[in-house]
Amino acid sequence: MLQACLDGLNIRPEGTYVDVTFGGGGHARAILDRLGPQGRLIAFDQDPDAKANATALNDPRLTFVAANFRHLKRYLRLYKIEQVDGILADLGISSHQIDTPERGFSTRFDADLDMRMNQSGELTARRVVNEYPEDKLHKILGMYGEVINARTLAGAIVSSRLNRPIETSSDLKSILQRYAPRGKENKYFAQVFQALRIEVNEELAVLEEFLAQVPDVLAPAGRVVIMSYHSLEDRLVKNFFRAGNFQGAVEKDLYGNELKPLRGVTRKPTEASADEVSRNPRARSARLRVAEKA
């Protein structure tokens, strides 16, 4: 949904924009193509591979920040930027990360259970499945993966690791196979891997911290465009755009005026067309929301 992202940003050639999920640089290239000589793009990504992609672009208008976008305001201040005209976030894992077997994100490959977006981080999926107590495993499987039999599966993981450590994707899938609904094994595997990935990378906490900074960082009439891929992310984005908080209830002042810093530009999320889904199946679950600084 590249064009929808660009339309949502409403790019001005002389403006300053932020891509908080640089990845392979596809969105960044498209933004740079629409910026003039005075325009500027700040790109965030904690993945070393993304830094290499940014270096390859070799564009003086691009400033790459090798950090998690939860530190948005801090780094903009470091570069003496008070406000920006637009922010783009393409949440979740990048195509490069999921297609690189050794990163451990994909259910398609056998690899060490890693799943770190920041490869210098200490917590891995292997540590989660081998060290977390059963009640904590139950919680993350149910909350982050929406796994139907989360309690049973957590118990099975704990029992299995008593015999030998769960080291690889195949080790984990051999356990999951016994509890996956028949005919829906791949979906079940994906839900469990999603839960582990979210826990390892603190994805929902990062998203909340980022969203809380957006109103201060955006210039008046500046826009924020966020693409999410599962209901947990989309719910946080929807509530914050609608109410300025994560519960979704709009607060009002003594005179009945709504106290919310952003105004939703799109009433409903934009979804990928059938044609795009046929070309890129990962776009099937994408939900794109746009908001503007009030």
Side-chain angles (χ1 to χ4, degrees):
M1 292 194 284
L2 177 61
Q3 190 58 50
C5 290
L6 299 173
D7 291 344
L9 284 172
N10 195 27
I11 296 170
R12 296 187 298 108
E14 73 282 5
T16 298
Y17 295 85
V18 182
D19 177 359
V20 300
T21 48
F22 182 83
H27 288 110
R29 289 186 188 90
I31 294 170
L32 289 167
D33 286 344
R34 287 158 178 75
L35 291 178
Q38 303 305 314
R40 190 173 183 187
L41 176 63
I42 315 299
F44 284 72
D45 208 300
Q46 60 189 343
D47 192 317
D49 292 340
K51 184 176 182 180
N53 294 334
T55 302
L57 278 181
N58 192 30
D59 192 313
R61 299 168 300 169
L62 172 65
T63 299
F64 182 79
V65 179
N68 190 297
F69 60 89
R70 73 195 315 167
H71 306 299
L72 174 66
K73 192 185 293 187
R74 179 194 305 176
Y75 279 96
L76 290 183
R77 191 180 299 125
L78 180 66
Y79 287 101
K80 297 180 170 52
I81 299 172
E82 292 187 9
Q83 292 188 316
V84 301
D85 299 292
I87 301 171
L88 172 66
D90 185 2
L91 302 175
I93 49 177
S94 69
S95 294
H96 171 75
Q97 287 170 331
I98 201 167
D99 289 334
T100 304
E102 60 268 24
R103 300 297 293 273
F105 286 109
S106 177
T107 63
R108 293 179 292 134
F109 310 114
D110 187 25
D112 286 343
L113 284 170
D114 191 321
M115 301 194 193
R116 292 173 298 172
M117 293 180 180
N118 178 357
Q119 290 178 289
S120 63
E122 293 184 1
L123 184 62
T124 65
R126 183 169 54 191
R127 282 189 57 189
V128 172
V129 297
N130 285 291
E131 298 178 15
Y132 273 26
E134 185 174 334
D135 61 338
K136 194 169 183 181
L137 279 174
H138 170 213
K139 180 179 178 181
I140 68 169
L141 291 170
M143 182 182 296
Y144 298 157
E146 300 176 296
V147 176
I148 54 172
N149 52 0
R151 184 187 299 277
T152 302
L153 180 58
I157 290 171
V158 170
S159 296
S160 180
R161 74 192 190 194
L162 292 174
N163 299 319
R164 64 184 182 92
I166 305 166
E167 302 280 357
T168 67
S169 303
S170 291
D171 290 343
L172 179 59
K173 285 168 62 178
S174 68
I175 301 169
L176 304 184
Q177 190 75 49
R178 300 195 296 271
Y179 300 93
R182 185 169 297 178
K184 298 181 179 180
E185 290 87 354
N186 289 334
K187 179 181 179 181
Y188 188 79
F189 296 161
Q191 288 175 299
V192 173
F193 274 55
Q194 173 183 294
L196 295 174
R197 193 196 79 219
I198 290 173
E199 174 67 13
V200 168
N201 298 288
E202 299 183 289
E203 292 179 38
L204 298 184
V206 167
L207 179 56
E208 288 188 3
E209 290 175 33
F210 160 70
L211 286 169
Q213 297 171 66
V214 164
D216 290 338
V217 166
L218 274 182
R223 289 191 172 184
V224 54
V225 177
I226 300 182
M227 190 147 49
S228 57
Y229 293 86
H230 58 76
S231 60
L232 300 174
E233 291 174 335
D234 185 57
R235 191 177 304 123
L236 289 175
V237 175
K238 178 179 70 174
N239 286 345
F240 194 80
F241 282 5
R242 182 173 62 191
N245 58 58
F246 302 114
Q247 293 71 48
V250 179
E251 298 178 4
K252 297 182 179 181
D253 64 17
L254 294 173
Y255 302 99
N257 300 309
E258 294 185 344
L259 299 172
K260 56 181 186 178
L262 302 173
R263 177 186 66 83
V265 173
T266 50
R267 190 173 67 86
K268 291 184 177 181
T270 302
E271 300 181 8
S273 65
D275 179 60
E276 181 165 3
V277 170
S278 69
R279 288 182 284 108
N280 177 19
R282 291 174 189 158
R284 184 185 300 108
S285 57
R287 301 289 182 271
L288 180 72
R289 295 185 185 271
V290 184
E292 188 173 273
K293 175 82 170 279

